[in-house]
Amino acid sequence: MKKVILVTGASSGIGRDAAELLAADGHTVYGAARRVEKIAEIPGVHPLPLDVTDELSCVNCIDTILKEEGRIDVLVNNAGFGYFGPIETVPLDDARNQLEVNLFGLARLTKEVIPHMRENGGRIINLSSVAGRVTLYFGGWYHVSKYAVEAFSDSLRTELKPLGIDVVMIEPGGIRTNWGIIAADHLKTSSEGTPYETPAFNEAEVLKYAYSSKWLANPRVVARAIRKAVDSKRPRARYIVGTGARALLFFHWLLPSKWWDSASRLGGKIHFDNNSIKPQ
């Protein structure tokens, strides 16, 4: 059965690939983001402007689809970003914005679609991350936002299942997008001139190196997991995908907390010299 699907954050990366893949399957796909001109380039996808931090923008986005299609079968909450930086030095306004986008924006759209999905059933797919179950060095506020998405989704799933609405989480590991580059830039900005500068700058370089490499998974891997969550009659609660995702979760479970903490700080002890990696 072909479905009416809204994908947020569809202008680039995982959201763009997911919107393109779902449209190619014959679904009616609306892609929403602030950079709406980028979505207009995707074959078969209906572009909509959306700022998830603006309640009116969220309401207008949902209302537009309901007026044109009469229903929304699937909401893919993909919009988000990563703000890395020491908890002490990240301005609280930036921390609030991280939560505003990654958690409350997702919650706004979810609250808007639930009344309509109660009538015919539906599915809410939230892009979480292994970062919602594992913490990395200097990822504090980003991890707070993703841990919150995990709790929000688990709670929502138990509430909505009796009403015929499925809630699914996608938990990517390392995916080759600009996410790591943006996170690294934030890390440098928030740590410059602070006691954390040296390890934070080293960690930022590791992030940039990793997210520029070929060993990370292609965003299509996540897009295919989203497709499975859309098409399955009985979707899983979680889909774990991407480079290192299962290994990170396993070792986080296996290692004592002190060992994990020490391992997570290793990136702060590595520096780059003439494009080669050397421990400090």
Side-chain angles (χ1 to χ4, degrees), residues 238-256:
R238 288 172 166 82
Y239 290 80
I240 303 168
V241 295
T243 302
R246 292 187 180 278
L248 277 172
L249 293 175
F250 173 74
F251 283 110
H252 188 260
W253 167 80
L254 178 69
L255 295 176

Side-chain angles (χ1 to χ4, degrees), residues 110-164:
T110 298
K111 287 168 69 68
E112 286 296 320
V113 301
I114 287 173
H116 308 285
M117 287 185 173
R118 278 203 304 265
E119 297 180 12
N120 301 303
R123 193 159 295 174
I124 298 167
I125 301 173
N126 293 332
L127 266 291
S128 180
S129 169
V130 292
R133 297 166 69 183
V134 168
T135 59
L136 301 176
Y137 204 21
F138 295 122
W141 288 111
Y142 175 66
H143 290 297
V144 168
S145 74
K146 288 302 183 180
Y147 270 65
V149 168
E150 293 274 326
F152 177 86
S153 301
D154 282 338
S155 297
L156 193 69
R157 186 176 62 254
T158 59
E159 292 176 15
L160 297 186
K161 186 64 176 178
L163 303 177

Side-chain angles (χ1 to χ4, degrees), residues 10 15 31 35 80 116 127 162 171 177 202 209 222 244 253 255:
R35 296 182 297 169
H116 308 285
L127 266 291
E171 297 177 329
T177 67
N202 289 340
Y209 177 82
V222 187
W253 167 80
L255 295 176

Side-chain angles (χ1 to χ4, degrees), residues 31 35 42 56 65 81-82 84 121 126-128 134 142-143 160 180 187 191 200 204 213 222 225 255 259-260 268 280:
R35 296 182 297 169
I42 310 174
L56 182 58
I65 301 172
F81 76 103
F84 267 47
N126 293 332
L127 266 291
S128 180
V134 168
Y142 175 66
H143 290 297
L160 297 186
L187 178 51
S191 61
S213 69
V222 187
L255 295 176
W259 290 19
W260 176 267
Q280 283 193 331

Side-chain angles (χ1 to χ4, degrees), residues 31-78:
R34 289 179 299 175
R35 296 182 297 169
V36 72
E37 72 281 357
K38 294 289 185 182
I39 304 170
E41 302 168 357
I42 310 174
V45 175
H46 305 275
L48 284 178
L50 175 65
D51 179 351
V52 297
T53 67
D54 184 320
E55 185 170 358
L56 182 58
S57 178
C58 293
V59 171
N60 288 340
C61 179
I62 298 300
D63 283 351
T64 297
I65 301 172
L66 291 174
K67 287 176 182 176
E68 294 182 1
E69 307 296 337
R71 70 185 202 275
I72 298 175
D73 300 308
V74 182
L75 168 62
V76 181
N77 279 312
N78 169 74

